[in-house]
Amino acid sequence: MPMAMMPMAIILLVAILLAGGVSSAESSYIEYNTTQRIVPGKINVHLVPHSHDDVGWLKTVDQYYFGGNNSIRGACVQNVLDSVISALFDDKNRKFIYVEMAFFQRWWRQQSNAKKIKVKELVNSGQLEFINGGMCMHDEATPHYIDLIDQTTLGHKYIKDEFNQIPRVGWQIDPFGHSAVQAYLLGAELGFDSLFFARIDYQDRAKRLKEKTLEVVWQGSKSLGSSSQIFTGIFPRHYDPPDGFTFEINDVSPPIQDDVLLFDYNVQERVNDFIAAALAQANVTRTNHIMWAMGTDFRYQYANSWFRQMDKFIHYVNQDGRINALYSTPSIYTDAKYAENVQWPLKTDDFFPYADKPNAYWTGYFTSRPAFKGYVRVLSAYYLAARQLEFFKGRSASGPNTEALADALAIAQHHDAVSGTERQHVAADYALRLSIGYKEAEKVVASSLAFLADSRSSTEQKNSVTSFQQCPLLNISFCPPSEAALSSGKSLVIIIYNSLGWKREETIRIPVSSERVVVKDSEGREIESQLIPLSNSTLRIRSQYIKAYLGKKPREIAKYWVAFSVSVPPLGFSTYIVATTKETEGRSPTISTMNTYEASENNTIEVGQGSLKLLYSADEGKLTRYVNTRNSVTAFAEQSYGYYSGNDGTDKDPQASGAYVFRPNGTFSIKSENQVSVFI
């Protein structure tokens, strides 16, 4: 070998020896500094680890919890909570927020006492913080406001009982638009310090980004003024991190590779990406504090995948020194914002309607699954009455209670439940839970009313002997107790309970099989009543659905509704008796007659025998005007029927009309093609 080559070989050999002489043990381990701190004068990036866990949507609430039906969606909330809790134990500086108590309750029931003690330490230290704290993240457009309060109260009571904590922050990140009721009743009135969400109209967001008005003071009630307001933050994008910073095990964001013994070392590159994203958000945010929602739907099933990267970013970004990053929560972020003493823009109305792009207004869900919406509303009112009666009688330690209905109603307020945007099998699951809850509450109502009725009729306390049945299928003219009892010559006792705080005058209708009936009040006085014949159409519907529900045709055939007026005291009940009469007694209610009208030369049908008359057109059966002869008022009315045709979208704009989005393809009127018969 020529001498000139030797130095190069020696130098190369030395280099190899030096490289091989470094201890891998010394160079691999890095202790990351994740100590939480806010640095004045710097941009502080508050990293908020979270998982948005829908309480039913594509899968049922239980399937989401235990990981069933994963062919639809690979989601298992049980894995999320197991994994997150383990990751929090590993580093006291890590934090996580959790929202949906319906899932947390399921998980908590399965934990050992030793595990519960350790988790309570996480909660007390602030590592695990309950945010929002309701059983679900409720919709804000389609539920009744009382249902919103009830489901939130149920979750907060659970947190208070188990952890002695009270949530401080509202976290409505996914509902499809936001109501001022949320700002007032479930913000300022509830005592939240702040409220955060993601979905607002895309044009509104663009304007707020430009004007730095994504964070506002939201005044939910103009009449109540400042007492109804709450600090509200709107995320600059969705409720996920900036692009390139999602770290579920299969996500595509590049992780930090900081092991010098491995290829693709990229610490500075990723630090630069982090700082660039932070500066971009700081440019649209007031103060030096910005929040990154580090998570999205059903994330943290392998929590270390997220926390490992956040540990590294906090460590290396803070070493870099240009900005400051820290583990945080919305509560910590809110306190930091308050400390800046900045004046915020004022918001005074709703964030409705919500559109995420042109021709995509999310108002379709206002009417999606109307039957389910009605079922929720009816059972909500029933739950209110059942709770009151349960209180009046006193809850039995081992008997039926209202808890199952409370849980079912709470879950049904989820923004993919009563909204009507869930899959069909999920809607059926919600309805089944409500039905089970109703059956249990029905026993509470029956036993409580029987107890109260017996207590009123006797001065002695005694066990209830009266058995009350309820008729949930009155909408198909079906009530076996009223039909069977009267047909066999017995009397029917009817109790009407009023759950509201004021006296009510109502008209009650009960199906009966005989026209020989009389209605009396609790003093035995006969009161005015009226028999209304059931039409053939009603009877066909009745027969069809009774067979569907019961699997057989009813033994009795209802012929009439018996209708009568009742007066019910506030938070109380009234008793009425429907009895059969003999033909020789000569007493029976007025029986309405049914008349059929065809088109005539007059072409007008007049209805009403008193001072108020309604006039209909005979050819179409539509109300045309009404006349009040007492005060000589005549008013004209016009009825028309129409429908919207749904848009299927185009190649250029594929947005179609559907459960979420209302996008009509035109409005079309419906005109009668043939003469119709009018029944009065």
Side-chain angles (χ1 to χ4, degrees), residues 553-678:
K553 291 185 177 181
R555 285 180 292 182
E556 306 293 338
I557 298 177
K559 297 179 181 178
Y560 305 97
W561 287 104
V562 60
F564 54 96
S565 296
V566 300
S567 176
V568 195
L571 293 176
F573 64 92
S574 297
T575 305
Y576 294 84
I577 299 170
V578 180
T580 55
T581 61
K582 297 179 181 179
E583 293 186 13
T584 55
E585 292 178 349
R587 291 181 301 176
S588 64
T590 301
I591 301 179
S592 299
T593 57
M594 182 174 291
N595 300 303
T596 304
Y597 295 86
E598 306 289 348
S600 63
E601 292 182 2
N602 184 19
N603 208 34
T604 299
I605 304 166
E606 185 177 289
V607 180
Q609 299 177 348
S611 58
L612 179 66
K613 299 185 186 302
L614 306 177
L615 289 91
Y616 292 83
S617 62
D619 56 345
E620 291 186 306
K622 295 179 179 178
L623 179 68
T624 58
R625 65 186 187 275
Y626 71 85
V627 178
N628 189 330
T629 56
R630 179 179 297 175
N631 54 18
S632 300
V633 170
T634 298
F636 292 89
E638 182 178 346
Q639 285 180 277
S640 62
Y641 300 92
Y643 67 93
Y644 298 106
S645 174
N647 196 312
D648 294 329
T650 64
D651 292 339
K652 292 183 178 179
D653 185 357
Q655 179 63 61
S657 191
Y660 292 90
V661 173
F662 176 63
R663 188 185 182 190
N665 200 30
T667 305
F668 302 89
S669 60
I670 300 174
K671 296 182 179 180
S672 300
E673 296 181 357
N674 301 307
Q675 178 182 320
V676 296
S677 298
V678 180

Side-chain angles (χ1 to χ4, degrees), residues 329-381:
T329 68
S331 300
I332 295 171
Y333 178 78
T334 299
D335 291 341
K337 287 288 187 177
Y338 271 79
E340 294 290 325
N341 198 25
V342 172
Q343 186 171 4
W344 303 98
L346 188 67
K347 168 75 175 177
T348 58
D349 51 5
D350 293 329
F351 284 95
F352 286 123
Y354 161 63
D356 60 344
K357 57 181 180 289
N359 298 317
Y361 282 90
W362 292 44
T363 52
Y365 76 100
F366 289 4
T367 55
S368 296
R369 299 193 185 279
F372 182 65
K373 283 178 165 65
Y375 193 38
V376 170
R377 191 59 58 88
V378 167
L379 290 189
S380 169

Side-chain angles (χ1 to χ4, degrees), residues 272-583:
N272 290 341
D273 293 340
F274 188 100
I275 292 172
L279 291 174
Q281 184 168 333
N283 286 334
V284 298
T285 307
R286 301 186 186 195
T287 80
N288 286 335
H289 296 277
I290 62 175
M291 182 198 296
W292 284 10
M294 297 300 292
T296 181
D297 294 13
F298 300 101
R299 295 307 198 265
Y300 290 80
Q301 295 191 66
Y302 180 55
N304 276 328
S305 183
W306 284 86
F307 282 113
R308 181 187 299 120
Q309 297 306 314
M310 286 186 285
D311 287 350
K312 292 181 180 182
F313 274 113
I314 292 171
H315 178 79
Y316 290 116
V317 165
N318 292 346
Q319 269 191 354
D320 178 272
R322 285 177 283 173
I323 65 174
N324 181 59
L326 67 153
Y327 279 120
S328 187
T329 68
S331 300
I332 295 171
Y333 178 78
T334 299
D335 291 341
K337 287 288 187 177
Y338 271 79
E340 294 290 325
N341 198 25
V342 172
Q343 186 171 4
W344 303 98
L346 188 67
K347 168 75 175 177
T348 58
D349 51 5
D350 293 329
F351 284 95
F352 286 123
Y354 161 63
D356 60 344
K357 57 181 180 289
N359 298 317
Y361 282 90
W362 292 44
T363 52
Y365 76 100
F366 289 4
T367 55
S368 296
R369 299 193 185 279
F372 182 65
K373 283 178 165 65
Y375 193 38
V376 170
R377 191 59 58 88
V378 167
L379 290 189
S380 169
Y382 190 84
Y383 171 57
L384 175 65
R387 263 192 308 177
Q388 293 172 354
L389 289 167
E390 185 177 39
F391 173 79
F392 292 151
K393 179 176 182 270
R395 174 175 287 197
S396 172
S398 58
N401 56 58
T402 58
E403 289 180 1
L405 183 55
D407 288 339
L409 277 170
I411 291 172
Q413 309 314 314
H414 171 56
H415 59 268
D416 284 305
V418 67
S419 61
T421 56
E422 68 275 28
R423 293 277 182 91
Q424 179 56 49
H425 74 107
V426 181
D429 184 75
Y430 288 132
L432 176 61
R433 293 171 187 275
L434 288 169
S435 176
I436 293 170
Y438 167 77
K439 288 294 185 183
E440 186 80 359
E442 187 181 41
K443 298 174 185 176
V444 174
V445 169
S447 62
S448 298
L449 281 175
F451 173 80
L452 295 173
D454 287 346
S455 298
R456 174 186 285 185
S457 62
S458 173
T459 57
E460 299 178 3
Q461 291 293 325
K462 60 182 179 179
N463 293 329
S464 172
V465 296
T466 308
S467 176
F468 284 111
Q469 299 179 54
Q470 295 161 65
C471 295
L473 298 180
L474 281 175
N475 62 327
I476 57 170
S477 311
F478 184 54
C479 181
S482 67
E483 299 163 31
L486 293 179
S487 63
S488 60
K490 298 178 181 178
S491 296
L492 180 74
V493 177
I494 299 174
I495 284 189
I496 301 99
Y497 177 73
N498 176 17
S499 63
L500 300 181
W502 53 88
K503 179 182 176 182
R504 293 169 67 184
E505 306 282 346
E506 302 285 349
T507 299
I508 299 298
R509 299 200 307 174
I510 302 292
V512 294
S513 303
S514 169
E515 64 185 56
R516 304 297 302 180
V517 295
V518 63
V519 181
K520 300 178 181 180
D521 63 16
S522 58
E523 303 296 326
R525 295 185 295 263
E526 185 177 336
I527 64 172
E528 185 179 11
S529 59
Q530 181 177 358
L531 288 173
I532 305 167
L534 292 175
S535 68
N536 290 334
S537 299
T538 300
L539 289 173
R540 283 196 298 270
I541 292 172
R542 180 181 188 272
S543 178
Q544 175 185 344
Y545 283 100
I546 291 172
K547 188 174 182 180
Y549 283 121
L550 304 181
K552 58 183 179 181
K553 291 185 177 181
R555 285 180 292 182
E556 306 293 338
I557 298 177
K559 297 179 181 178
Y560 305 97
W561 287 104
V562 60
F564 54 96
S565 296
V566 300
S567 176
V568 195
L571 293 176
F573 64 92
S574 297
T575 305
Y576 294 84
I577 299 170
V578 180
T580 55
T581 61
K582 297 179 181 179
E583 293 186 13

